[in-house]
Amino acid sequence: MDRAARLAAPYRLKCYSHYTRENKVLMKIEIRHLGAIEKASIDLKPLTVFIGENGTGKTWLAYTLEAIFGAYGHEQYLKAYLNKKSTSYPLLDQASEQFLKEGHTQLDVIQLVTDSIETYFNEVASLAPTWMPARMNTRRVTFEHLQVQIDLADMKSTLATRLMATSVNEKQSVINGSLNAVKDAQQRTLYFFSEGEILDKLPRQTVQQFLVSQLFHLMRKNIYSSTVKFSVERLNEKTATVGTESEKAERLLVELGEEIYNKLSNSDIPEAILKMLLGQIVAKANEPKLTNSPDHLSKYRRLAELLENDILRGGVDFEKSELGTELIFQAKNTQLEMSVSSSMIRELAPLVVYLRYHATPNSLIVFDEPEMNLHPAVQVELTEFLAMLVNAGLHVLITTHSPYIVDHLANLMQAAKHDNKETLKELFYLEQTDAFIPQEQVSIYLFEDGTTRNIVDDKGMIDWSTFGNVSSDVSDIYPQVISKLTE
């Protein structure tokens, strides 16, 4: 059924009661004293959905988690650790001392995961109260009582497998030599060594910083290879380009030149998206390097094409013009600047660019209210598309007020339980079996009364009363009005 036919059809709530599959928890997180949240617990899965009324803490928590698991929290903690070094990591301390004395050391990355990775992320989280005001760009809100506790027990075997598959080849040139970190894929030993007679000439902190930053970076990358957020309407937050921090973003603007910056700045693209798009211009210059890229990059580019063709109904790309390089939308026979494109195009174009140039397996995408400015039919299509991203190896965390998104997730989870999925795909908007997502990969949390509640039951049914009650109220008003008119 095409989109026009679907728009004409009534939208109905579907309920199912197929067999139960035990949920496999990937990451448990406890939060206290974050805005409206007094005490809450969530299981962070490949697809996590936050719903609830306005002002219940959904976005604050989503942004807090993105910062903790992303480059921002990592950089803040690395600075604090090197300045104070209050936390003890026995393996790291031993390796650091040997490196300083002998110019080489080695470390078992599997043991590193077992002993240290949970400590590392909880230490990053413990510093969140100090950097959250700057991250959220607020002078009035205090986060001094914020507490975040992260339980990675269920992930350690997965992380060990990822680390085994990871290769490392990093070099930092210093004076007349270099500091090196090397690990071959499918080997558990990470080697550090120096080249040249440099140890006596280097500050102790420089050597420590190289070793510590490599190990912390390795732990962070094996939870999420990168993090990116799409926050269309929230312009108060300091947002950096994908994979960088704000200082690098400012340097990037200089490299791009004022004409390109002014061209995009004068459009009505929100600042949060603007900075990300500026970052993509550099990626565009490297496009030829992607021709013979790994299979996962080809897979994400195919998803970008599907988003363009089946949802946006047009193409998104960069184009050279008299004003420099700009992002344009090709709609049938017309090219449109982002400033005059529809709100749907402006909202989803950055996702196209991200998938085409930046997405890597095991990345975390945080999408704040993706339904904003979207017709209900597009909301349903986007729900299927987000599930496809998860099945392609990405992680997605969204906040939403859309009953269409929540309702349709129940359909996708139930479809994943059927043996003959091909017979079901024509029932769905994108007609892709890759949109069917196993229930154990989904968590949906209702935020209310200062806490959270998991609203997916063992049968995959979703208690969406936060939306359903409003729908019932609206439906009940009409007959009561008619009754009053006839009195």
Side-chain angles (χ1 to χ4, degrees):
M1 185 185 298
D2 63 20
R3 181 184 287 182
R6 292 187 185 279
L7 293 180
Y11 192 80
R12 297 181 295 273
L13 173 67
K14 303 176 181 69
C15 297
Y16 302 88
S17 58
H18 292 290
Y19 68 86
T20 301
R21 183 184 295 178
E22 183 180 357
N23 284 354
K24 182 181 179 181
V25 175
L26 292 181
M27 192 185 312
K28 299 178 181 178
I29 299 176
E30 293 189 1
I31 311 98
R32 293 174 182 265
H33 311 303
L34 175 62
I37 302 173
E38 289 297 320
K39 180 182 179 181
S41 299
I42 64 168
D43 297 336
L44 203 58
K45 295 187 179 180
L47 177 55
T48 303
V49 181
F50 294 165
I51 70 171
E53 295 184 8
N54 299 102
T56 53
K58 304 183 301 297
T59 297
W60 278 31
L61 179 54
Y63 286 3
T64 300
L65 296 178
E66 186 275 334
I68 289 172
F69 291 111
Y72 189 88
H74 164 78
E75 291 184 4
Q76 297 300 315
Y77 179 64
L78 179 60
K79 293 175 185 175
Y81 178 83
L82 291 171
N83 287 336
K84 296 182 179 178
K85 199 179 177 183
S86 57
T87 303
S88 175
Y89 297 90
L91 285 177
L92 177 55
D93 295 341
Q94 294 170 16
S96 181
E97 286 303 315
Q98 183 180 13
F99 194 21
L100 286 164
K101 290 178 181 178
E102 303 175 18
H104 64 85
T105 190
Q106 62 187 55
L107 192 132
D108 187 326
V109 293
I110 304 304
Q111 190 176 356
L112 177 71
V113 167
T114 303
D115 294 353
S116 303
I117 194 165
E118 204 164 53
T119 300
Y120 166 73
F121 279 104
N122 279 294
E123 285 294 303
V124 174
S126 72
L127 287 184
T130 65
W131 46 254
M132 277 297 289
R135 181 65 169 171
M136 298 298 287
N137 197 23
T138 177
R139 297 189 302 271
R140 294 179 173 84
V141 180
T142 177
F143 296 86
E144 60 182 334
H145 300 298
L146 170 63
Q147 298 176 25
V148 181
Q149 186 69 30
I150 300 169
D151 182 351
L152 299 175
D154 288 348
M155 288 194 71
K156 286 188 176 180
S157 61
T158 300
L159 295 174
T161 301
R162 289 180 190 168
L163 277 170
M164 282 289 289
T166 300
S167 61
V168 177
N169 189 358
E170 295 291 335
K171 175 180 287 191
Q172 178 178 327
S173 297
V174 288
I175 311 178
N176 296 317
S178 63
L179 301 172
N180 302 269
V182 175
K183 176 190 172 301
D184 292 332
Q186 304 308 325
Q187 298 294 320
R188 60 189 293 162
T189 303
L190 174 63
Y191 297 94
F192 290 94
F193 60 93
S194 61
E195 293 180 318
E197 298 180 1
I198 60 175
L199 291 185
D200 292 338
K201 303 176 183 178
L202 286 178
R204 179 185 181 93
Q205 188 175 17
T206 300
V207 178
Q208 286 181 322
Q209 181 172 351
F210 176 76
L211 186 144
V212 170
S213 62
Q214 292 299 320
L215 292 176
F216 286 171
H217 180 76
L218 190 63
M219 287 192 281
R220 179 176 68 86
K221 287 287 188 177
N222 277 273
I223 292 287
Y224 297 119
S225 60
S226 66
T227 63
V228 60
K229 58 183 172 298
F230 298 93
S231 47
V232 179
E233 296 295 335
R234 300 176 189 272
L235 304 184
N236 63 314
E237 186 202 4
K238 290 183 178 178
T239 305
T241 54
V242 176
T244 69
E245 288 309 311
S246 56
E247 297 84 0
K248 297 178 183 178
E250 296 303 322
R251 291 198 296 273
L252 176 62
L253 299 184
V254 175
E255 294 170 7
L256 291 173
E258 290 187 5
E259 59 180 10
I260 299 175
Y261 175 69
N262 290 336
K263 174 65 177 175
L264 291 176
S265 297
N266 291 331
S267 69
D268 46 359
I269 303 174
E271 181 183 0
I273 292 178
L274 168 64
K275 285 191 175 182
M276 197 195 84
L277 292 179
L278 289 169
Q280 313 311 323
I281 295 174
V282 173
K284 180 64 178 177
N286 296 326
E287 184 176 5
K289 299 178 182 178
L290 300 176
T291 304
N292 298 314
S293 59
D295 290 341
H296 66 262
L297 294 181
S298 298
K299 175 168 57 179
Y300 296 144
R301 289 201 299 278
R302 288 194 296 270
L303 284 168
E305 291 176 4
L306 186 146
L307 177 56
E308 288 176 303
N309 297 333
D310 290 18
I311 299 180
L312 299 183
R313 310 290 175 148
V316 175
D317 209 345
F318 293 98
E319 183 176 89
K320 294 287 185 181
S321 72
E322 67 278 5
L323 294 176
T325 303
E326 61 179 315
L327 190 68
I328 57 96
F329 179 68
Q330 178 72 47
K332 294 185 179 180
N333 297 323
T334 305
Q335 286 189 340
L336 300 173
E337 298 94 338
M338 281 293 132
S339 59
V340 295
S341 297
S342 72
S343 56
M344 177 186 74
I345 303 303
R346 293 200 304 272
E347 178 175 343
L348 296 181
L351 183 57
V352 173
V353 177
Y354 171 75
L355 291 171
R356 186 178 293 152
Y357 301 115
H358 275 281
T360 55
N362 211 43
S363 293
L364 172 65
I365 297 173
V366 176
F367 214 144
D368 189 24
E369 299 181 17
E371 74 276 8
M372 195 175 295
N373 304 317
L374 302 185
H375 185 281
V378 182
Q379 294 182 38
V380 174
E381 291 169 344
L382 185 60
T383 304
E384 295 180 15
F385 187 76
L386 294 177
M388 293 179 69
L389 296 184
V390 173
N391 286 327
L394 302 175
H395 294 252
V396 177
L397 168 61
I398 69 171
T399 72
T400 183
H401 294 286
S402 171
Y404 301 101
I405 290 178
V406 176
D407 189 11
H408 201 47
L409 275 175
N411 297 335
L412 297 175
M413 288 188 289
Q414 297 304 329
K417 296 177 180 180
H418 286 261
D419 294 329
N420 192 350
K421 296 177 177 56
E422 286 293 324
T423 63
L424 300 177
K425 70 179 185 181
E426 291 185 359
L427 299 173
F428 292 82
Y429 280 44
L430 298 181
E431 299 185 0
Q432 302 281 337
T433 58
D434 288 346
F436 303 162
I437 185 166
Q439 180 181 334
E440 63 266 25
Q441 294 195 51
V442 180
S443 61
I444 305 176
Y445 282 89
L446 174 64
F447 284 57
E448 62 180 359
D449 301 327
T451 188
T452 57
R453 176 168 61 89
N454 184 1
I455 59 172
V456 182
D457 69 14
D458 291 340
K459 297 178 180 179
M461 297 179 65
I462 300 171
D463 174 14
W464 59 297
S465 58
T466 185
F467 302 136
N469 290 344
V470 177
S471 298
S472 298
D473 289 343
V474 171
S475 298
D476 290 344
I477 289 173
Y478 185 82
Q480 292 183 54
V481 171
I482 296 299
S483 176
K484 294 290 185 182
L485 287 174
T486 57
E487 286 181 357

